[in-house]
Amino acid sequence: LATGPRQNNGIFYEIRTYDIKPAKMKEFLEMISKYLHFRTAHSELVGFWYSELGAMNKVFHIWKYDNFAHRTAVRHALANDKDWQGKFISAALPLVEKQHNEVAYLVPWCKLGKPPKEGGVYEWVTFQMKPGGPALWGEAFRAAINAHINTGYTRLIGVFHTEYGLLNTVHVLWWNESPDHRAAGRHSAHEDARVVAAVRDSVRFLESQKNVLLIPLPCSPLK
Protein backbone atom coordinates (compact mmCIF):
# COMPACT_ATOMS: atom_id res chain seq x y z
CA LEU A 1 0.00 0.00 0.00
CA ALA A 2 1.13 3.57 -0.59
CA THR A 3 2.76 5.33 2.31
CA GLY A 4 0.31 8.22 2.06
CA PRO A 5 0.76 11.97 2.68
CA ARG A 6 4.17 13.57 2.33
CA GLN A 7 5.79 16.99 1.97
CA ASN A 8 4.38 19.14 -0.82
CA ASN A 9 7.55 19.19 -2.90
CA GLY A 10 9.82 16.75 -4.69
CA ILE A 11 12.58 16.74 -2.08
CA PHE A 12 13.48 13.31 -0.76
CA TYR A 13 16.27 11.71 1.24
CA GLU A 14 18.32 8.67 0.37
CA ILE A 15 19.24 6.75 3.50
CA ARG A 16 22.25 4.51 3.04
CA THR A 17 23.43 1.88 5.51
CA TYR A 18 26.68 0.00 5.00
CA ASP A 19 27.93 -3.01 6.94
CA ILE A 20 31.71 -2.72 7.20
CA LYS A 21 34.05 -5.65 7.74
CA PRO A 22 34.79 -5.67 11.48
CA ALA A 23 38.55 -5.36 11.11
CA LYS A 24 38.21 -2.58 8.53
CA MET A 25 36.01 0.00 10.26
CA LYS A 26 38.88 2.29 11.29
CA GLU A 27 40.31 2.20 7.77
CA PHE A 28 36.92 2.90 6.20
CA LEU A 29 36.23 5.89 8.45
CA GLU A 30 39.66 7.33 7.74
CA MET A 31 38.99 7.05 4.01
CA ILE A 32 35.63 8.78 4.40
CA SER A 33 37.22 11.67 6.25
CA LYS A 34 39.93 11.98 3.61
CA TYR A 35 37.86 11.67 0.43
CA LEU A 36 34.26 12.60 1.24
CA HIS A 37 34.71 16.07 -0.25
CA PHE A 38 34.77 14.47 -3.71
CA ARG A 39 31.27 13.10 -3.03
CA THR A 40 29.79 16.19 -1.40
CA ALA A 41 30.84 18.24 -4.43
CA HIS A 42 27.92 16.59 -6.26
CA SER A 43 25.00 16.71 -3.78
CA GLU A 44 24.05 17.66 -0.25
CA LEU A 45 25.02 15.40 2.63
CA VAL A 46 22.70 15.64 5.64
CA GLY A 47 24.76 13.53 8.02
CA PHE A 48 27.25 10.68 8.34
CA TRP A 49 27.47 8.49 11.44
CA TYR A 50 28.83 5.19 12.69
CA SER A 51 26.99 2.90 15.08
CA GLU A 52 28.00 2.62 18.72
CA LEU A 53 25.12 0.68 20.34
CA GLY A 54 22.27 -1.36 18.87
CA ALA A 55 24.31 -2.39 15.82
CA MET A 56 27.98 -2.99 15.17
CA ASN A 57 30.26 -2.06 12.28
CA LYS A 58 27.61 -0.02 10.48
CA VAL A 59 27.70 3.43 8.97
CA PHE A 60 24.62 5.54 8.22
CA HIS A 61 24.51 8.44 5.79
CA ILE A 62 21.68 10.56 4.44
CA TRP A 63 21.68 12.46 1.13
CA LYS A 64 19.20 15.11 0.05
CA TYR A 65 17.85 15.36 -3.52
CA ASP A 66 15.50 17.87 -5.15
CA ASN A 67 13.77 15.13 -7.16
CA PHE A 68 14.55 11.85 -8.92
CA ALA A 69 15.98 13.58 -11.99
CA HIS A 70 18.44 15.32 -9.69
CA ARG A 71 19.54 12.00 -8.20
CA THR A 72 19.95 10.46 -11.67
CA ALA A 73 22.18 13.35 -12.75
CA VAL A 74 24.25 13.07 -9.57
CA ARG A 75 24.73 9.32 -9.96
CA HIS A 76 25.81 9.84 -13.57
CA ALA A 77 28.31 12.50 -12.53
CA LEU A 78 29.71 10.28 -9.76
CA ALA A 79 30.23 7.41 -12.18
CA ASN A 80 32.38 9.74 -14.25
CA ASP A 81 34.24 11.39 -11.40
CA LYS A 82 37.77 9.97 -11.66
CA ASP A 83 38.81 11.21 -8.22
CA TRP A 84 35.79 9.67 -6.47
CA GLN A 85 35.99 6.40 -8.38
CA GLY A 86 39.75 6.06 -8.32
CA LYS A 87 40.68 7.32 -4.87
CA PHE A 88 37.69 6.19 -2.84
CA ILE A 89 35.36 3.66 -4.49
CA SER A 90 38.03 1.28 -5.76
CA ALA A 91 39.69 1.16 -2.33
CA ALA A 92 36.58 1.27 -0.14
CA LEU A 93 34.40 -1.41 -1.75
CA PRO A 94 36.59 -4.30 -0.53
CA LEU A 95 36.00 -3.05 3.03
CA VAL A 96 32.20 -3.22 2.72
CA GLU A 97 30.23 -6.39 3.39
CA LYS A 98 26.74 -5.16 2.54
CA GLN A 99 24.96 -2.04 1.32
CA HIS A 100 21.34 -1.02 1.77
CA ASN A 101 19.48 2.09 0.66
CA GLU A 102 16.01 3.56 1.08
CA VAL A 103 14.24 6.58 -0.33
CA ALA A 104 12.27 8.48 2.29
CA TYR A 105 10.30 11.69 2.67
CA LEU A 106 9.98 13.88 5.71
CA VAL A 107 6.50 13.54 7.15
CA PRO A 108 4.39 16.64 6.33
CA TRP A 109 4.49 18.03 9.87
CA CYS A 110 8.26 17.81 10.28
CA LYS A 111 11.10 20.00 9.06
CA LEU A 112 14.69 18.83 9.21
CA GLY A 113 16.22 20.20 12.39
CA LYS A 114 19.66 20.76 13.85
CA PRO A 115 21.10 20.14 17.30
CA PRO A 116 21.49 23.14 19.61
CA LYS A 117 25.25 22.64 19.64
CA GLU A 118 27.96 20.40 18.27
CA GLY A 119 28.81 17.25 20.13
CA GLY A 120 26.37 14.84 21.68
CA VAL A 121 24.99 11.65 20.21
CA TYR A 122 22.22 10.72 17.81
CA GLU A 123 19.58 8.04 18.15
CA TRP A 124 18.18 6.42 15.01
CA VAL A 125 14.86 4.75 15.81
CA THR A 126 13.12 2.62 13.21
CA PHE A 127 9.41 1.83 13.55
CA GLN A 128 7.75 -0.75 11.33
CA MET A 129 4.10 0.27 11.22
CA LYS A 130 1.05 -1.69 10.14
CA PRO A 131 0.24 -1.37 6.41
CA GLY A 132 -1.86 1.61 5.45
CA GLY A 133 0.58 4.49 5.61
CA PRO A 134 0.34 7.79 7.52
CA ALA A 135 -3.33 8.04 6.62
CA LEU A 136 -3.84 5.17 9.08
CA TRP A 137 -1.25 5.72 11.80
CA GLY A 138 0.04 9.25 11.15
CA GLU A 139 -1.88 11.24 13.76
CA ALA A 140 -1.31 8.78 16.59
CA PHE A 141 2.38 8.54 15.71
CA ARG A 142 2.69 12.33 15.60
CA ALA A 143 1.12 12.61 19.04
CA ALA A 144 3.63 10.10 20.44
CA ILE A 145 6.56 12.01 18.94
CA ASN A 146 5.27 15.34 20.26
CA ALA A 147 4.79 13.86 23.72
CA HIS A 148 8.48 12.97 23.81
CA ILE A 149 9.48 16.39 22.48
CA ASN A 150 7.41 18.09 25.18
CA THR A 151 9.40 16.40 27.93
CA GLY A 152 12.35 18.54 26.83
CA TYR A 153 15.05 15.91 27.31
CA THR A 154 15.68 15.27 23.62
CA ARG A 155 15.84 17.20 20.34
CA LEU A 156 14.01 15.98 17.24
CA ILE A 157 16.07 16.18 14.05
CA GLY A 158 13.78 14.49 11.55
CA VAL A 159 10.97 12.00 10.94
CA PHE A 160 11.18 10.11 7.64
CA HIS A 161 8.80 7.59 6.07
CA THR A 162 9.84 5.26 3.27
CA GLU A 163 8.88 5.46 -0.38
CA TYR A 164 11.34 2.82 -1.62
CA GLY A 165 12.48 0.00 0.62
CA LEU A 166 10.30 -1.68 3.19
CA LEU A 167 7.10 0.38 3.17
CA ASN A 168 5.37 1.72 6.27
CA THR A 169 8.78 2.16 7.86
CA VAL A 170 9.36 5.33 9.83
CA HIS A 171 12.82 6.49 10.89
CA VAL A 172 13.10 9.06 13.66
CA LEU A 173 16.40 10.84 14.27
CA TRP A 174 16.93 12.32 17.74
CA TRP A 175 19.82 14.25 19.30
CA ASN A 176 20.88 14.02 22.95
CA GLU A 177 23.72 15.61 24.88
CA SER A 178 25.05 12.22 25.94
CA PRO A 179 23.94 8.61 26.38
CA ASP A 180 23.47 9.24 30.11
CA HIS A 181 21.37 12.34 29.46
CA ARG A 182 19.22 10.28 27.12
CA ALA A 183 18.87 7.49 29.70
CA ALA A 184 17.75 9.93 32.41
CA GLY A 185 15.28 11.54 30.03
CA ARG A 186 13.82 8.22 29.00
CA HIS A 187 13.34 7.28 32.64
CA SER A 188 11.42 10.48 33.27
CA ALA A 189 9.37 10.06 30.07
CA HIS A 190 8.25 6.60 31.14
CA GLU A 191 6.71 8.18 34.23
CA ASP A 192 5.06 11.04 32.31
CA ALA A 193 1.32 10.44 31.91
CA ARG A 194 1.25 12.39 28.64
CA VAL A 195 3.90 10.16 27.10
CA VAL A 196 2.33 6.96 28.40
CA ALA A 197 -1.07 7.87 26.96
CA ALA A 198 0.29 8.90 23.56
CA VAL A 199 2.46 5.81 23.24
CA ARG A 200 -0.40 3.55 24.28
CA ASP A 201 -2.53 5.02 21.49
CA SER A 202 0.15 4.73 18.79
CA VAL A 203 1.49 1.29 19.68
CA ARG A 204 -1.63 -0.38 18.29
CA PHE A 205 -0.30 0.45 14.82
CA LEU A 206 3.21 -0.81 15.55
CA GLU A 207 4.72 -4.06 14.25
CA SER A 208 8.28 -3.66 15.55
CA GLN A 209 10.91 -1.10 16.47
CA LYS A 210 14.68 -0.87 16.71
CA ASN A 211 17.11 1.82 17.76
CA VAL A 212 20.80 2.52 17.20
CA LEU A 213 23.06 4.98 19.00
CA LEU A 214 25.08 6.90 16.41
CA ILE A 215 28.28 8.92 16.61
CA PRO A 216 28.73 11.61 13.95
CA LEU A 217 31.92 11.79 11.94
CA PRO A 218 33.87 15.06 12.08
CA CYS A 219 33.01 15.59 8.39
CA SER A 220 29.26 15.20 9.02
CA PRO A 221 27.16 18.37 8.64
CA LEU A 222 25.07 17.14 11.59
CA LYS A 223 27.51 16.70 14.46
Side-chain angles (χ1 to χ4, degrees):
L1 298 177
T3 50
R6 63 183 187 225
Q7 299 271 359
N8 294 321
N9 55 49
I11 293 173
F12 66 84
Y13 299 84
E14 183 175 5
I15 301 165
R16 287 184 165 242
T17 308
Y18 296 170
D19 287 22
I20 309 301
K21 293 180 179 178
K24 299 296 184 179
M25 177 62 86
K26 182 175 183 292
E27 183 180 350
F28 182 86
L29 295 181
E30 288 174 347
M31 291 183 63
I32 287 291
S33 296
K34 186 175 181 179
Y35 296 120
L36 188 64
H37 64 282
F38 292 129
R39 175 63 184 83
T40 54
H42 294 279
S43 66
E44 181 180 347
L45 173 66
V46 174
F48 207 119
W49 305 264
Y50 65 89
S51 60
E52 179 70 13
L53 295 171
M56 297 184 70
N57 302 302
K58 285 183 179 287
V59 296
F60 293 72
H61 41 127
I62 303 175
W63 300 88
K64 180 181 178 182
Y65 293 102
D66 296 334
N67 49 48
F68 288 97
H70 179 209
R71 182 185 183 275
T72 298
V74 169
R75 300 303 297 174
H76 178 76
L78 287 170
N80 290 282
D81 186 324
K82 293 182 179 179
D83 284 328
W84 178 245
Q85 295 295 328
K87 295 180 179 180
F88 179 77
I89 293 296
S90 61
L93 282 182
L95 312 181
V96 178
E97 288 192 329
K98 185 168 59 176
Q99 296 174 294
H100 176 72
N101 76 332
E102 297 171 294
V103 166
Y105 292 94
L106 285 171
V107 295
W109 45 269
C110 175
K111 293 184 178 180
L112 194 64
K114 292 184 178 181
K117 60 183 179 181
E118 291 188 2
V121 295
Y122 290 79
E123 184 179 9
W124 182 256
V125 189
T126 299
F127 298 89
Q128 186 60 43
M129 309 302 291
K130 293 183 183 298
L136 174 68
W137 43 256
E139 289 304 313
F141 189 84
R142 180 180 183 178
I145 294 296
N146 284 333
H148 283 85
I149 293 172
N150 291 337
T151 63
Y153 81 89
T154 188
R155 175 67 66 95
L156 179 67
I157 303 300
V159 181
F160 308 85
H161 68 92
T162 54
E163 182 75 8
Y164 286 97
L166 186 60
L167 294 183
N168 295 292
T169 301
V170 185
H171 300 292
V172 183
L173 184 61
W174 301 95
W175 178 90
N176 290 282
E177 290 187 13
S178 70
D180 285 319
H181 184 263
R182 183 250 181 208
R186 291 284 291 176
H187 180 77
S188 297
H190 290 161
E191 298 179 345
D192 189 313
R194 299 168 300 172
V195 175
V196 172
V199 170
R200 182 180 292 121
D201 187 42
S202 66
V203 76
R204 58 197 170 103
F205 301 110
L206 181 66
E207 297 280 5
S208 65
Q209 66 186 86
K210 180 180 180 180
N211 68 337
V212 183
L213 185 72
L214 300 176
I215 307 299
L217 271 65
C219 57
S220 173
L222 285 176
K223 56 177 172 285

